[in-house]
Amino acid sequence: MSAARRGAHGVLLAAMASRAGRTAQRWQDEGGAWRTRTHGELRDLVLRTAAGLRARGVRPADRVGLVADNGPWWPVADLGILAAGACDVPRGADSTPSEIGDILDHSGARACLVLGAEAERRALAAPGVRERIDLLVRLDAARGEAAPGVLSGEEFLEEGAGGAGEPLPPVVPDDVASVIYTSGTTGRPKGVTLLHGNFLHQLDHIPGAFDIEEGDVFLVMLPPWHCFERIVEYVCLLTGGEMVHSHPRELRRHLPEVRPSWMASVPRVWEMVLALSGWQRLAARDPERAAKALRAALGGRLRRAVCGGGRIPDSVDRAYNDSGIPFLVGYGLTETAPVLTVRRPGANRTGTLGSPLPETGIRVVDRETGAPVAEGAVGVLQARGPQVMRGYWRDPDLTERVLLPGGWFDTGDLGRLLPGGEVEFHGRSKDTIVLRGGEKVEPSRLEDRLLESPLLEQVVIVGSDEKVLGALAVPRAEA
């Protein structure tokens, strides 16, 4: 079976095997010392995780929860689940226990991996977890560190060591790889069902679009259960890059120390970098000095800056490109695994979302009738291609509303097609609010909660493409 037919993890495991001695990951431990892991060491941990899951009864197509934040153990857990033939159900460690419980219940997960003490605590507190989950593993824990009822990663990986060399279950592109829960218009999270083929399409086309080179140093810091960060980390492993795990609060210290050559993040992070560099203060009176300050703040060797996950202000877009830093903006959704369009190094038109990836179609339709609009007119963006999801997990009615005849997916976003084929963003036609940090917020849940107050008559939550949420409230006069 070819690498492509083994699924997304098969392609990545083959890439790791070909560069076994090259550094794959770098991170700081609790004492501040830098630790590293090679591609070969990462591959071994992935295979041991897959073997451990299989030894504990996880079978192909089973759903396995994954509660974690960014860090060196995320790829181990994620790819280990996929290599076992199972499907992961990821969520951040900042999720409430009720959210975790709902997601594990709706997905039908029977096993769950957690990373870190906080994720462990919240998973154990999730309603129904002790009754429904047969296997709960804290993968990063040494023997004796895990809570009662939780298997430590040290013990679990020891169990998997003996089976790490066994053949992996066969996986094909049409098999489910991940169910990612995201905001829904009814307030209930919806499970985006992504296939191995969705991820394979991204791995086939993203490296070439960005001119990524073997040995590039990637600074990664976003929650990896977000599809954008997940694909960034996959691409890093595929191309033989070095993934340095960071956090937005560590930007000031890590950028000059790590000196990344490649970095992809959300608008909020790119705005933070501008502020750290003093660019706003210098740009008006000394643009050349402002540009040098910005390049230095990024470490001095950044070849590519990529922005996704939300709308970037035009002023920020221009600041990077005018400073000699190729700033490439893309567009996509969790439902499209996620990239639909991106600006290329040779066609980097400021203010646009770039042009579609290969095999990807984009059309613009009238928001009321669904009919194609006139050339250059604004309407609802619809997309089709190998990266479009199968549907929403156990929700055929919602799936039918967004997956249309001919394979088209209704994004709910407004835009128009420019004469050169680029896409221009014009806002959102659906209720979900997307902040600059990439967070998706369902406003109706917050509005309903606020209206429980006897002091308020009406409330509207706002904040699309802003840093934080705001609310317009009408007080109840008699109160």
Side-chain angles (χ1 to χ4, degrees):
M1 185 180 291
S2 69
R5 302 301 291 178
R6 287 203 301 267
H9 63 280
V11 172
L12 298 178
L13 288 170
M16 290 181 226
S18 69
R19 307 180 181 93
R22 182 182 288 278
T23 300
Q25 295 174 283
R26 182 158 39 120
W27 71 96
Q28 284 185 299
D29 61 22
E30 292 182 357
W34 284 102
R35 305 284 299 278
T36 62
R37 184 182 287 153
T38 66
H39 283 266
E41 290 168 338
L42 175 57
R43 181 178 182 274
D44 179 64
L45 287 172
V46 168
L47 294 176
R48 288 166 64 185
T49 300
L53 288 170
R54 295 173 67 193
R56 288 277 179 157
V58 172
R59 296 292 175 256
D62 282 354
R63 275 78 62 205
V64 177
L66 174 51
V67 184
D69 287 332
N70 203 334
W73 283 95
W74 163 267
V76 177
D78 170 38
L79 295 176
I81 294 169
L82 270 56
C87 153
D88 65 28
V89 184
R91 197 67 176 178
D94 60 348
S95 301
T96 65
S98 62
E99 287 174 329
I100 294 171
D102 287 347
I103 288 168
L104 294 177
D105 178 43
H106 188 261
S107 67
R110 304 296 300 176
C112 184
L113 304 183
V114 301
L115 304 179
E118 184 61 20
E120 177 186 63
R121 184 187 70 78
R122 295 186 182 218
L124 285 172
V129 160
R130 295 183 185 271
E131 294 77 23
R132 290 193 301 268
I133 299 298
D134 301 322
L135 174 65
L136 186 58
V137 182
R138 183 176 161 193
L139 197 59
D140 62 325
R143 191 185 305 271
E145 283 186 346
V150 180
L151 186 64
S152 74
E154 184 177 358
E155 296 168 277
F156 176 75
L157 292 171
E158 283 179 2
E159 291 181 4
E166 296 179 2
L168 298 177
V171 172
V172 297
D174 282 341
D175 287 336
V176 178
S178 192
V179 179
I180 304 175
Y181 282 80
T182 185
S183 299
T185 54
T186 63
R188 178 176 60 79
K190 50 191 179 183
V192 178
T193 305
L194 295 178
L195 312 179
H196 282 270
N198 299 145
F199 290 139
L200 287 169
H201 172 270
Q202 303 281 285
L203 293 176
D204 283 344
H205 299 294
I206 289 178
F210 293 121
D211 294 339
I212 298 170
E213 300 176 357
E214 184 172 348
D216 269 338
V217 176
F218 290 60
L219 190 66
V220 297
M221 68 194 76
L222 301 178
W225 66 273
H226 283 285
C227 203
F228 177 40
E229 176 72 8
R230 184 171 181 167
I231 283 297
V232 168
E233 297 190 11
Y234 281 7
V235 168
C236 177
L237 295 175
L238 177 69
T239 57
E242 178 181 337
M243 190 188 314
V244 183
H245 298 277
S246 183
H247 190 277
R249 64 174 174 265
E250 301 290 346
L251 271 177
R252 183 187 295 274
R253 186 164 56 87
H254 280 173
L255 280 170
E257 186 174 357
V258 173
R259 301 183 65 235
S261 57
W262 206 95
M263 181 173 157
S265 201
V266 293
R268 184 71 183 274
V269 169
W270 292 116
E271 290 175 289
M272 288 172 59
V273 174
L274 275 187
L276 290 173
S277 72
W279 184 89
Q280 293 98 328
R281 175 173 48 84
L282 295 170
R285 65 176 186 268
D286 194 342
E288 185 175 343
R289 185 181 170 197
K292 289 181 180 179
L294 181 54
R295 292 195 297 269
L298 287 162
R301 65 172 182 177
L302 192 72
R303 294 191 302 107
R304 294 285 182 266
V306 180
C307 183
R311 184 182 179 277
I312 189 76
D314 289 343
S315 59
V316 177
D317 192 348
R318 289 192 300 270
Y320 283 95
N321 282 300
D322 291 350
S323 297
I325 300 167
F327 193 73
L328 309 175
V329 176
Y331 167 71
L333 304 91
T334 303
E335 288 89 339
T336 58
V339 183
L340 289 169
T341 71
V342 71
R343 290 174 2 200
R344 304 334 195 250
N348 190 15
R349 185 172 174 180
T350 304
T352 75
L353 300 173
S355 54
L357 288 181
E359 305 176 53
T360 303
I362 300 289
R363 71 179 184 183
V364 183
V365 303
D366 184 272
R367 70 174 84 183
E368 301 297 333
T369 67
V373 300
E375 185 176 359
V378 173
V380 176
L381 295 171
Q382 296 183 348
R384 67 178 176 187
Q387 68 271 59
V388 174
M389 68 171 183
R390 172 176 286 174
Y392 295 115
W393 186 261
R394 292 174 55 191
D395 201 333
D397 292 339
L398 185 57
T399 298
E400 188 176 353
R401 271 186 263 166
V402 298
L403 290 183
L404 310 176
W408 291 100
F409 167 68
D410 191 328
T411 70
D413 292 332
L414 301 176
R416 69 185 183 109
L417 287 174
L418 302 178
E422 298 105 325
V423 175
E424 190 176 75
F425 185 74
H426 281 265
R428 307 182 193 282
S429 64
K430 54 188 179 182
D431 292 333
T432 303
I433 292 172
V434 181
L435 298 174
R436 285 190 197 171
E439 302 95 335
K440 292 185 178 180
V441 179
E442 170 49 42
S444 62
R445 301 173 73 183
L446 298 176
E447 292 163 353
D448 291 345
R449 185 64 182 271
L450 288 170
L451 287 174
E452 293 176 8
S453 168
L455 302 177
L456 299 179
E457 182 74 37
Q458 297 179 45
V459 174
V460 176
I461 299 294
V462 295
S464 183
D465 300 318
E466 299 295 338
K467 295 179 181 179
V468 296
L469 291 174
L472 176 64
V474 178
R476 190 182 300 274
E478 62 270 25

